[in-house]
Amino acid sequence: MDKLRVLIVGAGISGLALAKVLLDRGFLVDVVERRADDGLALGSGLYLPANAVRALQAIGVGDEVAKRAEPVARQRLLDHRGRPLAEFEVERIWGGVGPCLAITRDDLREVLCTAVASTVIRYDTEVTAVADDGTVTFADGATDAYDLVVGADGINSAVRRSLFGGPEPRFLGQVCWRFIADDTAIPAITEWTGRMGTKGRTFLTVQLGGGRVYCYADINSPVPAAPDGDWRGLFTDFGGPVPELLEQGEDAYFAALYESENPVWTRHRAVLVGDAAHAFSPSMAQGGAMALEDALVLADTLTTTRDVTTALAAYETRRAPRVAWVVQQNHRRDKARNLPTPLRNFTLRRAGERIFRANHAPLHALP
């Protein structure tokens, strides 16, 4: 298996992480990305829960990530006026699993890119079809044959559509905006802080260090499109630093939120990882963590099992229950945020920390 020729489609977090661990184990790896290198700037932040940080250590880039990241020691939940609902140390949620960190997506991707030889990645290279025998057709008409094709190309995966079918991504009834603000003139933005508003509105801030704070805002929506007018007007009744931060959010990145969990992740010579296999609500911040764990588990099964088909089946068997748990917890949390505001606030005041511990408890175990 050490000479298995692998094509990874997608140079995002999941694809690069998988490339790193497979290269370290002696596999022959190519990575293709349909976008140009300069088209991958992500311009937003990322909260890395402890199981994601643990996975990055196992991949071999944890120390470099920690140099660029900001530790997250506490989480706070407030109402939209800034009144406390729940507050706890993240160590109480994660125990001995490890620290939680915040980092820009661009920094994380740069660390992973640096860890993968530049000659391995080909940009502006789009896959248009994948056959069952591992033959790949590219947009320029060229073809090549691989022992294994990995779809790491996101929620709208070309590999999934070409080989796996399955349901189209489902709109979650939420839209969001993300941006990074300069917080040097705004005091007291320290911990991970989620502000819970009425009508399903949330405004999250996460300290990134270096005078930067990651801002994430979302709201319920019947359609996957930005509402008319300046989106910032939807959050003008929020207190604390939110009004000042919103002044910097004119060019925020907008996205509608979708969920996609393919019923099948593997075929004879193909497999899905990350959002291509399972994309879900950001409620638990587990999208990146699950993608990193996918990379480790897939590399492990390919290394320890001589037959590719058997290795892929073992990968799906190990990953499916854990991903299903995250999906279930996301659904529960998304329902809870839409409870009547007095009931939601009462629940978080009485049991916020206990709910967070229960949400994450099974993720303490190694994947």
Side-chain angles (χ1 to χ4, degrees):
M1 294 283 281
D2 61 338
K3 296 301 181 183
L4 200 70
R5 189 164 185 245
V6 181
L7 176 68
I8 299 173
V9 183
I13 290 171
S14 60
L16 293 173
L18 179 61
K20 170 66 166 65
V21 288
L22 290 182
L23 288 166
D24 286 349
R25 299 183 189 205
F27 290 80
L28 305 175
V29 178
D30 291 333
V31 180
V32 296
E33 169 57 53
R34 63 178 178 81
R35 292 167 291 184
D37 188 9
D38 60 3
L40 287 167
L42 301 169
S44 65
L46 188 65
Y47 170 60
L48 297 172
N51 62 320
V53 177
R54 177 178 61 190
L56 287 164
Q57 285 288 354
I59 289 165
V61 297
D63 290 348
E64 185 59 33
V65 168
K67 291 177 186 177
R68 299 173 180 234
E70 183 76 4
V72 177
R74 297 180 66 81
Q75 289 185 284
R76 296 192 304 160
L77 292 171
L78 313 174
D79 70 10
H80 70 291
R81 296 296 190 189
R83 293 170 294 199
L85 301 175
E87 183 172 355
F88 40 82
E89 304 285 339
V90 295
E91 186 178 9
R92 294 178 61 85
I93 306 302
W94 287 104
V97 175
C100 298
L101 302 174
I103 191 170
T104 70
R105 287 180 178 268
D106 292 333
D107 275 347
L108 177 57
R109 188 176 177 279
E110 184 177 331
V111 169
L112 290 168
C113 274
T114 301
V116 175
S118 59
T119 55
V120 170
I121 309 171
R122 304 201 310 266
Y123 295 97
D124 286 313
T125 304
E126 183 176 359
V127 170
T128 56
V130 181
D132 271 332
D133 65 356
T135 300
V136 177
T137 302
F138 299 96
D140 63 0
T143 61
D144 206 343
Y146 289 88
D147 299 303
L148 177 63
V149 178
V150 181
D153 48 344
I155 191 170
N156 295 309
S157 169
V159 176
R160 187 183 70 236
R161 288 196 168 120
S162 180
L163 269 184
F164 291 85
E168 287 295 304
R170 181 179 68 86
F171 176 51
L172 287 170
Q174 300 171 40
V175 296
C176 72
W177 295 264
R178 302 179 177 100
F179 64 98
I180 294 175
D182 180 347
D183 73 339
T184 52
I186 304 171
I189 299 180
T190 53
E191 298 93 354
W192 179 108
T193 304
R195 299 163 182 84
M196 313 288 290
T198 58
K199 300 177 182 178
R201 295 175 300 156
T202 303
F203 196 99
L204 171 71
T205 54
V206 185
Q207 179 58 243
L208 294 170
R212 301 166 303 166
V213 60
Y214 170 49
C215 302
Y216 168 91
D218 66 20
I219 189 169
N220 293 344
S221 173
V223 293
D228 294 336
D230 189 335
W231 71 272
R232 294 173 294 177
L234 300 168
F235 296 88
T236 53
D237 61 331
F238 277 57
V242 174
E244 294 171 271
L245 293 169
L246 286 171
E247 292 176 7
Q248 302 181 53
E250 182 178 1
D251 297 321
Y253 173 78
F254 169 81
L257 299 180
Y258 286 84
E259 176 181 85
S260 176
E261 188 180 7
N262 220 57
V264 179
W265 302 350
T266 64
R267 291 176 69 97
H268 176 54
R269 291 183 182 274
V271 60
L272 303 175
V273 299
D275 283 355
H278 45 71
F280 28 72
S281 160
S283 176
M284 285 181 63
Q286 281 292 319
M290 291 296 104
L292 294 167
E293 289 185 0
D294 285 351
L296 287 170
V297 173
L298 180 56
D300 183 51
T301 60
L302 289 171
T303 303
T304 57
T305 307
R306 295 190 62 84
D307 177 70
V308 174
T309 302
T310 304
L312 298 183
Y315 157 75
E316 185 168 350
T317 297
R318 280 177 60 177
R319 294 302 293 149
R322 194 170 176 97
V323 168
W325 171 265
V326 173
V327 171
Q328 179 192 60
Q329 297 308 303
N330 275 328
H331 288 171
R332 294 180 69 175
R333 288 162 68 113
D334 286 340
K335 287 180 181 178
R337 81 185 222 139
N338 287 308
L339 290 171
T341 301
L343 177 58
R344 182 201 65 198
N345 291 353
F346 174 79
T347 301
L348 288 173
R349 288 192 179 103
R350 291 291 300 271
E353 181 179 329
R354 186 166 70 247
I355 292 169
F356 270 62
R357 285 205 308 267
N359 289 154
H360 295 89
L363 303 178
H364 288 205
L366 288 168

